[in-house]
Amino acid sequence: MFAQGNSILTVVPPQKVVGKRNSELTAKLAVSLSAGYHINSNAPHETYLIPLKLTWTAAPLEVEAVAYPKPHDEKYQFSDQPLSVLTGNFEIATKFKVPADAASGPAILTGKLRYQACNNTMCFPPKTVEVKLPLDIQ
């Protein structure tokens, strides 16, 4: 199985999802962070921190909601306040609506996962990982 990303953060390519027109479906993205690293949550406490953000191209599905994992607060040497972070392995779930006029058949939905990884002493430049979600519309 090929993981997208780099040695700090990897994204397991999502399983194919099947949806019917005028219905909803959920796709899960499995993310893994190497030990000793953390990323900011999707809602960091400080405005200057770069949040975790998953975005999808508009067609052929419509994004209804993106559900991020529950973060935890951790204190690091470089910050006076605890930070809202994610560590280890977690999932991001996206709820999609299949439009009534969606074309039948296989398709690939492209997404982008933007994050900033840090260790206990420093943060690295933000990165964006492209994600491809195989789907079949019936």
Side-chain angles (χ1 to χ4, degrees):
M1 182 176 289
F2 174 73
Q4 297 169 302
N6 58 30
S7 57
I8 295 173
L9 180 139
T10 53
V11 176
V12 177
Q15 297 290 318
K16 180 165 93 171
V17 293
V18 177
K20 296 186 185 326
R21 285 190 203 93
N22 248 354
S23 67
E24 293 179 344
L25 62 90
T26 300
K28 293 184 177 176
L29 200 59
V31 180
S32 179
L33 274 171
S34 296
Y37 293 94
H38 65 272
I39 59 173
N40 297 314
S41 73
N42 60 301
H45 299 317
E46 305 289 340
T47 55
Y48 66 87
L49 294 173
I50 294 167
L52 175 67
K53 185 164 179 65
L54 177 61
T55 55
W56 295 97
T57 52
L61 302 180
E62 296 170 3
V63 175
E64 297 232 308
V66 176
Y68 295 94
K70 183 174 173 23
H72 58 278
D73 284 357
E74 267 188 40
K75 180 80 176 80
Y76 296 98
Q77 295 171 344
F78 58 82
S79 174
D80 293 336
Q81 300 297 318
L83 303 179
S84 174
V85 299
L86 298 168
T87 55
N89 301 324
F90 55 89
E91 279 188 346
I92 302 170
T94 305
K95 189 162 120 183
F96 294 101
K97 178 166 179 35
V98 183
D101 61 352
S104 293
I108 301 279
L109 192 66
T110 305
K112 292 185 185 303
L113 181 66
R114 186 165 195 258
Y115 68 94
Q116 183 172 32
C118 305
N119 60 23
N120 290 340
T121 58
M122 64 182 282
C123 287
F124 302 95
K127 291 196 183 268
T128 301
V129 177
E130 188 171 278
V131 180
K132 293 187 182 300
L133 174 65
L135 59 109
D136 193 4
I137 297 172
Q138 299 176 342

